[in-house]
Amino acid sequence: MDSAAILAVAQQALELSTLLVAVLLVPALLVGLLVSIFQAATQINEMTLSFIPKLLVTFAVLLLAGPWILKLLVDYTQRLLTDIPALIG
């Protein structure tokens, strides 16, 4: 197993994890920004006001994108497991 193969596997894993995390975090960040703007405009300083919408949006995105995320993870794992003989030898 040479260093190029190790770097290729590590790069694919990092790209996949970055994509999957971005799918979950970007909507939560946008909702947090909108709630913060609302709080600044109305001068409401309640901490739970920003937590609950972000939690709900993250849960909704997980419900909607969950099958797609699972498919990507399963495909990557299957590809990695089938490539083990090529990586070793």
Side-chain angles (χ1 to χ4, degrees):
M1 184 187 229
D2 60 342
S3 61
I6 294 171
L7 287 176
V9 170
Q11 181 181 2
Q12 291 171 358
L14 286 174
E15 288 173 356
L16 182 65
S17 62
T18 302
L19 175 68
L20 297 181
V21 167
V23 167
L24 293 174
L25 285 182
V26 169
L29 289 172
L30 291 176
V31 168
L33 179 65
L34 291 175
V35 169
S36 296
I37 291 171
F38 174 74
Q39 284 180 329
T42 60
Q43 295 182 353
I44 299 173
N45 291 325
E46 181 63 36
M47 294 303 293
T48 58
L49 186 62
S50 65
F51 178 73
I52 299 298
K54 285 192 284 187
L55 183 67
L56 292 175
V57 165
T58 303
F59 184 69
V61 168
L62 193 58
L63 282 176
L64 293 174
W68 177 72
I69 290 172
L70 188 61
K71 182 184 180 311
L72 283 178
L73 286 172
V74 167
D75 289 345
Y76 176 74
T77 305
Q78 286 176 344
R79 190 172 63 241
L80 190 62
L81 290 175
T82 57
D83 287 347
I84 286 176
L87 292 173
I88 292 174

